[in-house]
Amino acid sequence: ELALDPKLTVNVTQAGEAIEVLAANGLELEDILAGGARGAEHLANATGSDFATAATIATDAMQQFGFKAGELETVADGIAGVLIQSKFDANDYALALSNAGGIAGNLGVDFGDFNTVLAATSSFFSSGSDAGTSFKTLLTRLAKPTDDVKAAMDEFGISIFDSAGQMLPFADISGKLNDVFKDLNESEKAELATRLGGTDAMRTVLGLAGLTEEQFSTLSKEVNKSGQASLAAATRVDSLTGAWEIFKGIIEAVQIQVGDKFLPIVRRVTE
């Protein structure tokens, strides 16, 4: 069915690889058939990554942020949004997720916020690996601050948790950083960013401080827009090359269907 879909550039072998990865990563067969596989294919087409990689990224994100199997399309939309709104590609996203996704999910960071932070700070980094490491370091330092970090947070009224111990929305965190940093000169900004994030995470601090709460919220809506994975996939394959790849996938699928019908007959004749 996936290979016969005229909106997807995928052949039977590629679809099979994606399904195998989804199953190996813990998705139940009924969830894979009910939309998981199609979500992975949309993500692969939207990002230009291979199908097994897209399936791995999607399932990793689902596990780290507590998504249910039926929500894979939502995950795909967020991932595609990061790639559309930043300079990162699918491999960058995979590395950022590998480095920071686990701790972000455990601390209660919203998946949409995770994506928006990556998009907002990507220009400060040469790779997704650097961005993920920096984000992870910042979360670690602010969640369990040293005396110096706590002194800086108290001095400027910066926190990532509310009074109940729940993670604050990153629009609030970004807005607070923006309020603090806008009145500092360049030297003071560098000093405070280093106090809060250290040398590894100061770039994430500066990237977030560059957005007001409203700007972060606006970017978040664009990054996490519903349906954009499917739209990006359709746009990417809207060419002669894309049409040819879709056509080849359909022909292969039809050949397999015909072969499945006639193989028992041929086998009996041969015997």
Side-chain angles (χ1 to χ4, degrees), residues 43-115:
L43 181 59
N45 279 185
T47 61
S49 61
D50 65 79
F51 297 92
T53 297
T56 297
I57 295 172
T59 51
D60 283 352
M62 290 173 66
Q63 291 165 358
Q64 290 168 354
F65 290 92
F67 282 98
K68 297 178 182 178
E71 298 174 304
L72 197 149
E73 285 281 4
T74 300
V75 174
D77 285 336
I79 296 170
V82 174
L83 308 193
I84 293 169
Q85 298 293 332
S86 75
K87 67 177 184 179
F88 288 155
D89 60 18
N91 290 327
D92 284 312
Y93 188 93
L95 291 170
L97 184 68
S98 175
N99 287 338
I103 188 170
N106 284 329
L107 287 175
V109 176
D110 177 77
F111 181 63
D113 278 357
F114 178 83
N115 290 330

Side-chain angles (χ1 to χ4, degrees), residues 87-88 121-128 130-132 134-135 200-201 203-204:
K87 67 177 184 179
F88 288 155
T121 61
S122 66
S123 61
F124 288 78
F125 300 98
S126 60
S127 69
D130 288 342
S134 180
F135 190 21
D200 283 340
R203 287 176 290 175
T204 298

Side-chain angles (χ1 to χ4, degrees), residues 1-196:
E1 289 178 359
L2 291 171
L4 287 169
D5 189 333
K7 296 181 180 179
L8 289 175
T9 302
V10 58
N11 60 38
V12 174
T13 302
Q14 292 166 333
E17 289 174 351
I19 290 170
E20 183 177 8
V21 170
L22 291 172
N25 288 353
L27 263 69
E28 298 294 333
L29 179 60
E30 60 184 21
D31 294 323
I32 294 172
L33 298 180
R38 188 170 300 278
E41 307 302 348
H42 276 150
L43 181 59
N45 279 185
T47 61
S49 61
D50 65 79
F51 297 92
T53 297
T56 297
I57 295 172
T59 51
D60 283 352
M62 290 173 66
Q63 291 165 358
Q64 290 168 354
F65 290 92
F67 282 98
K68 297 178 182 178
E71 298 174 304
L72 197 149
E73 285 281 4
T74 300
V75 174
D77 285 336
I79 296 170
V82 174
L83 308 193
I84 293 169
Q85 298 293 332
S86 75
K87 67 177 184 179
F88 288 155
D89 60 18
N91 290 327
D92 284 312
Y93 188 93
L95 291 170
L97 184 68
S98 175
N99 287 338
I103 188 170
N106 284 329
L107 287 175
V109 176
D110 177 77
F111 181 63
D113 278 357
F114 178 83
N115 290 330
T116 307
V117 170
L118 290 183
T121 61
S122 66
S123 61
F124 288 78
F125 300 98
S126 60
S127 69
S129 178
D130 288 342
T133 299
S134 180
F135 190 21
K136 176 185 70 175
T137 301
L138 178 63
L139 288 172
T140 302
R141 287 173 66 90
L142 297 186
K144 294 184 177 180
T146 62
D147 290 342
D148 184 46
V149 175
K150 189 175 187 306
M153 294 173 68
D154 290 343
E155 180 181 350
F156 293 97
I158 298 169
S159 177
I160 63 171
F161 298 109
D162 62 21
S163 59
Q166 300 297 311
M167 174 68 70
L168 289 169
F170 260 85
D172 293 353
I173 297 171
S174 183
K176 180 59 180 178
L177 289 171
N178 183 267
D179 288 340
V180 170
F181 275 74
K182 67 182 180 182
D183 295 325
L184 303 179
N185 61 39
E186 296 305 314
S187 176
E188 291 170 334
K189 288 178 181 178
E191 179 184 358
L192 180 56
T194 303
R195 288 180 66 189
L196 291 172

Side-chain angles (χ1 to χ4, degrees), residues 6-9 41-42 45-47 227-239 242-243 246:
K7 296 181 180 179
L8 289 175
T9 302
E41 307 302 348
H42 276 150
N45 279 185
T47 61
Q228 63 184 335
S230 297
L231 180 60
T235 301
R236 184 178 284 273
V237 301
D238 186 18
S239 65
I246 291 172

